[in-house]
Amino acid sequence: MKNAAPDIDTYIAEFPEDIQAMLQEVRATIHKAAPEATEAIKYAIPTFVLKGNLVHFAAFKNHIGFYPAPTGIKAFEKELSVYKQGKGSVQFPLDEPMPLALITRIVEYRVKQNTEKKKK
């Protein structure tokens, strides 16, 4: 396994230009939905943090992996049903447009979740 990138810019720069554009689009969408979140590299992939891990994303050979935790997947189960999924992940194929509006709603949901969790 290669060493983890020190930051998201470096992580994105390691991919071909077309994939970089998709990753930047996802990154910008997350920033817009969670402007107070900070960026980090956790588990060797880009992560947004706000009162705990918010979401992660990563590029793979055939998809962009998006990791909003199992609760983020469950809350958008119907809309995400058209994509391949894992317990806390979803795969957005590289040959389809990124579902940015859906990503926005999921991130906003996760912000609310993390904020309410920290209040308790």
Side-chain angles (χ1 to χ4, degrees), residues 64-76:
I64 300 288
F66 185 66
Y67 309 88
T71 54
I73 298 293
K74 181 95 175 110
F76 294 87

